[in-house]
Amino acid sequence: MADDLLNDTKTYPGMAHWFDPVLLLQLLNNVVVSSIFGQYADRRLVIAALDTVPPEEHSKRAEDFRSRLKTDQHGGVWIDWVADLGDGFDSTYAVASLLASKDLKIGETLLPRGQALIMGGDEVYPKATREAYANQLRQPYAWAAPDPDRKNDDGRPLLAIPGNHDWYDGLVLFLALFCKEKPWHVGAWRSYQRRSYFAVRLTETWWLWATDIQLADDMDGPQADYFKQIATAMPENSRIILCSAEPGWLYTDSNRKSWEIMEYAAGIAINAGRGHTIPVLLSGDTHHYSRYVGKDGRQYVTSGGEVPSCTRHINSLRMSR
């Protein structure tokens, strides 16, 4: 039985063979096709057209998220962040097991499990297929944190932003799984969002914004309008964790557009004229962990990659009141 499981590479796939010429050619074809598709049939516009709710409903969804979180004894909220996942069953399960644990002890510090899980892009590798989302994402997370009640849609909230690999099918499967009205069960976690970008309130003063930059490193009109409405409705002097699938601050020499989109999103918050600030910028994509601190104290955090050492001690943030 054990040998059968080890040999079942369809249900329990191994890591992607990134130097396989056939795979590289397939990915090149996916990049070309999805880029053309993205230009002429942007799924972000389609989902915005289908999500026909008053602007006030977007604010209500963002505010309601706070009720799903529990504060600790200091009034803080913990969240878990993971990015660049789904490259094979074993590596995904290893990280999911750490995220599912009730707490992790790092040195003398005990870190509690996040009240919410944020996936920061590239949820599957090497390309978005139904089998990849099932066997390289949902199944290992369900093994790590079994669903306590498949009929109950209440559970730890799960939010995700798409990376370029999620866009290789035109974002069809990402939207069908993460953005449907009935929550998608991923083990003990439950999807929450209705679009590929979102804003949610975490505490009295902290918010989290997550953008979808597509493959072209741009922000579509409905997405910009969404964040403008959210920024206007947020309490004055709110603090924002701004998330993106790419750490634009690292790519200013090679891809200025990636940073321009983050600047544009930050500008929406600042130009609302309500005293909002962006103390933290958070991203994955580069498959490592790094943190920089600007002269103004702003934190630039890159945290991605399916490495078991990338656990809660670097994937969690604590927001106090």
Side-chain angles (χ1 to χ4, degrees):
M1 180 64 178
D3 290 338
D4 291 340
L5 291 176
L6 290 174
N7 294 326
D8 187 359
T9 56
K10 181 177 181 180
T11 306
Y12 310 100
M15 305 286 282
H17 297 164
W18 291 106
F19 294 105
D20 183 347
V22 175
L23 175 60
L24 294 177
L25 287 173
Q26 291 176 343
L27 290 179
L28 177 61
N29 179 67
N30 274 255
V31 171
V32 173
V33 172
S34 56
S35 297
I36 295 174
F37 184 86
Q39 293 178 11
Y40 295 100
D42 194 332
R43 289 280 174 176
R44 298 175 301 179
L45 303 179
V46 174
I47 196 67
L50 295 175
D51 188 26
T52 54
V53 296
E56 296 77 14
E57 178 63 21
H58 296 308
S59 296
K60 182 178 183 300
R61 292 173 183 171
E63 290 277 359
D64 288 349
F65 187 80
R66 183 184 176 189
S67 65
R68 295 171 174 258
L69 308 178
K70 297 179 181 179
T71 58
D72 62 17
Q73 64 270 28
H74 303 292
V77 169
W78 289 81
I79 63 171
D80 284 335
W81 165 274
V82 64
D84 310 309
L85 58 151
D87 190 356
F89 184 94
D90 291 350
S91 56
T92 303
Y93 174 72
V95 174
S97 297
L98 296 171
L99 294 170
S101 60
K102 185 177 179 181
D103 49 52
L104 293 175
K105 188 174 183 180
I106 308 299
E108 298 301 319
T109 303
L110 198 64
L111 304 177
R113 180 176 56 216
Q115 293 293 321
L117 174 60
I118 314 297
M119 292 183 173
D122 288 343
E123 274 70 68
V124 292
Y125 285 106
K127 56 185 177 179
T129 64
R130 190 168 296 278
E131 292 75 17
Y133 279 110
N135 298 331
Q136 295 168 219
L137 174 63
R138 185 177 184 273
Q139 184 167 256
Y141 272 74
W143 274 40
D147 193 337
D149 186 351
R150 296 183 179 181
K151 296 182 179 180
N152 188 350
D153 288 336
D154 292 329
R156 294 196 294 274
L158 167 65
L159 295 162
I161 52 177
N164 57 302
H165 289 267
D166 300 293
W167 266 99
Y168 284 167
D169 72 336
L171 208 64
V172 173
L173 289 171
F174 180 96
L175 294 175
L177 296 171
F178 287 101
C179 303
K180 58 185 180 180
E181 183 174 359
K182 180 177 174 57
W184 185 36
H185 290 211
V186 183
W189 291 277
R190 305 288 187 266
S191 63
Y192 181 81
Q193 68 210 70
R194 297 304 303 277
R195 298 189 182 187
S196 57
Y197 48 89
F198 54 85
V200 291
R201 189 173 188 176
L202 302 174
T203 69
E204 185 176 339
T205 56
W206 281 92
W207 289 65
L208 186 144
W209 285 17
T211 61
D212 176 8
I213 60 175
Q214 206 227 40
L215 289 168
D217 290 321
D218 69 1
M219 182 178 287
D220 56 297
Q223 183 174 180
D225 293 340
Y226 169 87
F227 284 113
K228 288 176 182 177
Q229 194 278 325
I230 292 291
T232 301
M234 287 166 54
E236 292 185 353
N237 303 315
S238 292
R239 291 176 283 182
I240 299 168
I241 301 170
L242 180 59
C243 304
S244 176
E246 291 183 1
W249 59 90
L250 297 180
Y251 300 154
T252 52
D253 291 336
S254 59
N255 182 13
R256 177 67 190 178
K257 289 179 63 179
S258 180
W259 174 241
E260 289 174 351
I261 291 303
M262 298 201 80
E263 285 186 316
Y264 182 64
I268 289 176
I270 294 170
N271 294 333
R274 298 181 60 79
H276 304 325
T277 57
I278 301 92
V280 182
L281 280 76
L282 180 60
S283 179
D285 187 56
T286 54
H287 297 218
H288 72 277
Y289 173 78
S290 65
R291 180 173 65 90
Y292 303 94
V293 182
K295 293 181 179 179
D296 58 356
R298 177 180 288 177
Q299 307 278 321
Y300 299 84
V301 182
T302 305
S303 183
E306 289 260 286
V307 182
S309 61
C310 294
T311 58
R312 187 162 302 132
H313 68 290
I314 62 172
N315 284 334
S316 292
L317 297 170
R318 180 180 180 277
M319 277 67 63
S320 63
R321 293 169 60 88

